[in-house]
């Protein structure tokens, strides 16, 4: 299996660290609202990676985080539940949106039962241990409003900017305390935030080993903050100081990935928008000081999803969620098909006409899948060989850097083989066709195509009997009756084929 590695800017042969199990971390959602369709496209691509690793014979151990404490979750939980205590409001609010996210993931066909989900709020101790270690290693410092990662200290022994070029030459001692930000110039970022009134907060006792780190950072900054002086004084007298507050955004992924997967692990996935600052900062936190020099062996990023050729933005009025897609009359799996029609390293363009084309493609495959209820074990053995060859080519496309557009072309070719020989279909080949699509593309053909009812089958027999007697008025009446139930009929030379509208 070959994958494009953002670390090396090249397509490489993938070999898991322990040869058998592929350990994969996926940056998960901030659970404060519906994930927009751009986020969902990233999760579809990471799901295809998951499935293709299994196709390649690997066991997959996969973890994903829920960011359930940050600026946005705190803000919106207070607005939603103003009468609840901050922690209770946060928990009630984020648990609701976790359920919504899981439902959205299921609806788009993702393997959520094979993912270990971790909440940030349930991994505070792991984050605090990592932050304390970074302080001990003089890779972080205490400031007025919390604990910050020290990029200048990190650069003495490591490269900051492993995933993309970062301007560190013009770096100042400026600090960034926003949980999410988009800047081209590196700045020290918050590992831990001092608590504010009305916010959820956790106790955090910092050991006196931070004194040297804090004072060294003060010399670089040319000043000493009031909190720094308090920390130094309190530490000398009491050995510890309690910096009650909450984690910054980046630290959770570093803590939870190593907890679940070890370090280094095999593959880190996410959208291209996470390369900087999020993933760059994850690497720095995870490799600073005496930690391993590598966080993950592969970083795999997918490109943006565009809407009518533009990036999604509320100001552009093109910001959509899965419920918006459904309101337009599309199934979530139509959206999945649209995403798979683009290579993960190319931008996906969503328009309602493009989505309609994806819907038609999925409908065609679904109609083919329904034929399994109308075939038997007989059929053309030569057809089975042709289908299996096309599925092998689809497999080769997937293991070649997840080339889903190429894989879909071979599936289309297989569908055409069935469509042109409706009277001589190999049941075995058809079952392989459906299983491949469901197992490795996640399009749920088997579930979406149950058999028709016995009553409907009897109506078809009734119509055939009328046709045999040339009672075409009765035949047409039965056809219309089935059509009202969503069942369409088409007559071949030897049989009548049904399909759902």
């Amino acid at each position: 299996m070959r994958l494009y590695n953002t670390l090396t800017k090249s397509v490489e042969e993938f070999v898991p660290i322990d040869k058998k199990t592929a350990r994969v971390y996926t940056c998960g959602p901030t659970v404060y609202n519906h994930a927009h369709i751009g986020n969902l496209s990233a999760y579809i691509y990471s799901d295809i990676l998951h499935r293709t690793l299994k196709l390649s014979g690997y066991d997959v151990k996969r973890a994903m985080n829920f960011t359930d404490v940050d600026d946005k979750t705190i803000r919106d939980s207070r607005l939603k539940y103003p009468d609840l205590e901050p922690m209770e409001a946060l928990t009630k609010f984020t648990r609701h949106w976790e359920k919504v996210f899981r439902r959205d993931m299921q609806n788009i066909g993702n393997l959520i039962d094979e993912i270990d989900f971790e909440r940030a709020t349930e991994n505070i101790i792991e984050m605090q241990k990592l932050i304390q270690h970074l302080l001990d290693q003089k890779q972080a410092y205490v400031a007025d409003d919390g604990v910050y990662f020290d990029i200048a200290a990190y650069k003495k022994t490591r490269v900051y900017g492993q995933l993309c070029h970062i301007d560190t030459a013009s770096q100042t001692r400026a600090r960034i305390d926003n949980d999410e930000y988009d800047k081209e110039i590196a700045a020290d970022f918050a590992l831990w935030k001092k608590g504010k009134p009305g916010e959820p907060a956790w106790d955090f006792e910092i050991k006196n080993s931070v004194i040297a780190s804090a004072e060294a950072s003060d010399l670089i900054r040319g000043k000493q903050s009031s909190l720094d002086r308090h920390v130094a004084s309190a530490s000398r007298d009491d050995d510890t100081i309690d910096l009650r507050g909450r984690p910054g955004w980046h630290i959770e992924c570093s803590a939870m990935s190593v907890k679940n997967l070890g370090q280094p692990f095999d593959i880190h996935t996410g959208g291209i928008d996470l390369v900087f600052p999020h993933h760059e900062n994850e690497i720095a936190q995870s490799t600073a000081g005496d930690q391993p020099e590598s966080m993950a062996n592969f970083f795999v990023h997918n490109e943006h999803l565009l809407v009518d050729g533009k990036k999604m933005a509320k100001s552009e009025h093109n910001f959509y969620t899965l419920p918006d897609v459904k309101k337009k009359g599309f199934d979530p799996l139509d959206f999945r098909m649209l995403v798979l029609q683009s290579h993960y390293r190319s931008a996906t363009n969503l328009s309602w006409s493009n989505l309609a084309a994806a819907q038609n493609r999925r409908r065609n495959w679904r109609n083919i899948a329904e034929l399994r209820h109308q075939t038997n074990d007989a059929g053309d053995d030569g057809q089975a060989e042709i289908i299996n060859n096309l599925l092998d080519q689809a497999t080769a496309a997937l293991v070649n850097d997840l080339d889903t557009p190429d894989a879909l072309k071979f599936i289309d070719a297989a569908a055409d083989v069935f469509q042109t020989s409706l009277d001589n279909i190999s049941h075995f080949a058809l079952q392989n066709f459906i299983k491949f699509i469901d197992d490795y593309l996640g399009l749920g053909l088997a579930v979406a195509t149950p058999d028709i009812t016995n009553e409907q089958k009897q109506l078809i027999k009734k119509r055939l009997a009328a046709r045999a007697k040339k009672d075409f008025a009765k035949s047409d009446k039965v056809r219309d009756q089935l059509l009202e139930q969503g069942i369409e009929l088409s007559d071949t030379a030897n049989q009548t084929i049904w399909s759902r509208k």
Side-chain angles (χ1 to χ4, degrees):
M1 181 175 176
R2 290 161 56 79
L3 288 170
Y4 182 85
N5 190 351
T6 309
L7 279 169
T8 61
K9 311 296 186 296
S10 63
V11 177
E12 302 177 20
E13 191 72 25
F14 171 73
V15 179
I17 294 169
D18 72 356
K19 308 304 181 187
K20 181 180 179 182
T21 301
R23 293 174 294 159
V24 182
Y25 186 83
T26 299
C27 278
T30 301
V31 281
Y32 76 109
N33 207 324
H34 283 283
H36 63 66
I37 57 174
N39 294 144
L40 293 178
S41 70
Y43 299 130
I44 289 172
Y45 285 128
S46 61
D47 183 72
I48 290 297
L49 170 61
H50 187 150
R51 292 170 183 272
T52 304
L53 288 167
K54 293 173 67 175
L55 173 62
S56 300
Y58 301 121
D59 296 327
V60 180
K61 180 173 176 57
R62 187 165 164 222
M64 180 186 292
N65 66 302
F66 283 133
T67 299
D68 60 346
V69 56
D70 78 327
D71 293 342
K72 291 182 288 193
T73 53
I74 292 171
R75 176 198 67 203
D76 289 1
S77 64
R78 291 172 70 179
L79 291 172
K80 179 70 173 177
Y81 303 111
D83 297 330
L84 298 181
E85 290 297 316
M87 190 68 76
E88 185 181 359
L90 182 72
T91 300
K92 186 173 182 179
F93 180 77
T94 56
R95 293 296 192 275
H96 165 75
W97 287 111
E98 279 181 25
K99 292 178 181 177
V100 171
F101 176 77
R102 288 175 184 269
R103 185 172 66 241
D104 283 352
M105 287 278 277
Q106 283 183 313
N107 286 341
I108 59 174
N110 285 357
L111 296 169
I112 68 166
D113 292 337
E114 298 185 23
I115 302 173
D116 295 323
F117 288 100
E118 290 275 1
R119 298 184 180 106
T121 55
E122 295 176 350
N123 287 271
I124 299 296
I125 292 175
E126 285 77 10
M127 292 182 237
Q128 290 177 342
K129 287 179 179 178
L130 177 54
I131 293 169
Q132 180 66 60
H133 187 74
L134 292 171
L135 287 166
D136 292 341
Q137 292 285 303
K138 300 179 175 58
Q139 301 292 303
Y141 59 87
V142 179
D144 300 59
D145 54 352
V147 182
Y148 285 80
F149 187 83
D150 193 333
I151 292 177
Y154 178 78
K155 286 169 56 184
K156 292 177 181 178
T157 57
R158 298 282 194 270
V159 174
Y160 185 82
Q162 295 183 32
L163 296 174
C164 61
H165 175 71
I166 303 296
D167 181 3
T168 58
S170 59
Q171 179 194 354
T172 67
R173 294 304 302 181
R175 300 193 297 263
I176 297 290
D177 65 354
N178 293 335
D179 282 335
E180 296 183 43
Y181 58 94
D182 183 13
K183 287 185 175 290
E184 295 179 356
I185 299 175
D188 294 350
F189 54 91
L191 300 170
W192 187 263
K193 295 186 171 191
K194 185 181 178 182
K196 297 177 182 178
E199 288 191 350
W202 290 261
D203 290 336
F204 185 16
E205 290 191 345
I206 298 176
K207 298 176 184 178
N208 63 9
S209 57
V210 306
I211 298 174
S213 177
E215 291 180 343
S217 296
D218 288 335
L219 292 175
I220 296 172
R221 294 198 302 271
K223 63 187 181 73
Q224 187 178 39
S225 72
S226 60
L227 181 60
D228 289 336
R229 288 194 298 271
H230 176 58
V231 170
S233 173
S235 297
R236 291 188 180 105
D237 295 339
D238 307 322
D239 291 332
T240 62
I241 181 173
D242 182 49
L243 193 62
R244 184 172 173 79
R246 64 177 177 87
W249 175 40
H250 308 298
I251 193 68
E252 65 183 84
C253 288
S254 289
M256 288 190 275
S257 62
V258 69
K259 171 188 171 182
N260 283 274
L261 305 173
Q263 187 179 334
F265 54 92
D266 295 299
I267 304 173
H268 196 316
T269 75
I272 196 73
D273 55 309
L274 295 179
V275 169
F276 182 80
H278 188 46
H279 288 174
E280 203 65 64
N281 290 346
E282 281 185 44
I283 291 173
Q285 294 164 161
S286 299
T287 61
D290 63 354
Q291 298 180 104
E293 293 187 9
S294 174
M295 180 187 188
N297 286 351
F298 278 76
F299 276 78
V300 177
H301 294 99
N302 63 278
E303 265 292 349
H304 292 286
L305 180 140
L306 307 177
V307 176
D308 292 323
K310 297 179 181 179
K311 286 187 180 181
M312 280 195 302
K314 291 180 180 178
S315 60
E316 293 283 348
H317 305 291
N318 66 353
F319 193 90
Y320 297 117
T321 63
L322 201 59
D324 296 322
V325 171
K326 293 166 76 172
K327 286 177 185 176
K328 291 285 188 178
F330 296 100
D331 189 285
L333 292 177
D334 296 332
F335 173 68
R336 184 182 182 94
M337 178 70 91
L338 174 78
V339 172
L340 299 185
Q341 289 176 171
S342 298
H343 191 275
Y344 78 94
R345 288 196 286 120
S346 300
T348 300
N349 186 44
L350 181 141
S351 67
W352 301 120
S353 60
N354 287 350
L355 194 51
Q359 182 185 58
N360 288 335
R361 190 178 204 169
R362 193 175 77 89
R363 181 184 294 121
N364 182 50
W365 292 7
R366 197 172 64 234
N367 289 345
I368 297 299
E370 287 172 336
L371 294 173
R372 75 187 189 279
H373 303 299
Q374 304 170 69
T375 61
N376 51 42
D377 290 334
D380 183 1
D381 291 336
Q383 183 186 83
E385 184 177 349
I386 293 170
I387 296 300
N388 288 339
N389 181 263
L390 288 168
L391 296 181
D392 286 344
Q393 293 180 78
T395 298
L398 289 175
V399 300
N400 182 27
D401 196 27
L402 310 180
D403 193 344
T404 53
D406 205 31
L408 264 56
K409 288 191 295 185
F410 293 115
I411 300 298
D412 281 337
D416 288 343
V417 171
F418 291 124
Q419 193 67 53
T420 55
S421 56
L422 292 174
D423 290 329
N424 198 24
I425 286 178
S426 165
H427 186 74
F428 174 75
L430 182 55
Q431 293 285 21
N432 283 349
F433 171 84
I434 297 167
K435 181 173 174 55
F436 184 93
I437 291 172
D438 286 358
D439 287 355
Y440 305 121
L441 298 178
L443 287 163
L445 288 188
V447 173
T449 56
D451 201 355
I452 58 176
T453 66
N454 287 331
E455 291 78 8
Q456 290 167 335
K457 291 177 182 179
Q458 290 303 315
L459 284 174
I460 292 174
K461 288 181 179 180
K462 185 176 180 181
R463 175 178 175 271
L464 290 173
R467 280 170 57 84
K469 295 177 181 179
K470 300 189 183 300
D471 188 348
F472 298 114
K474 185 175 182 179
S475 171
D476 290 344
K477 183 178 179 180
V478 174
R479 177 195 286 272
D480 292 341
Q481 187 177 350
L482 284 164
L483 196 58
E484 289 175 359
Q485 299 176 29
I487 303 298
E488 295 180 306
L489 301 180
S490 56
D491 298 309
T492 70
N494 299 315
Q495 62 180 321
T496 295
I497 300 294
W498 61 260
S499 61
R500 287 182 175 83
K501 290 174 62 175

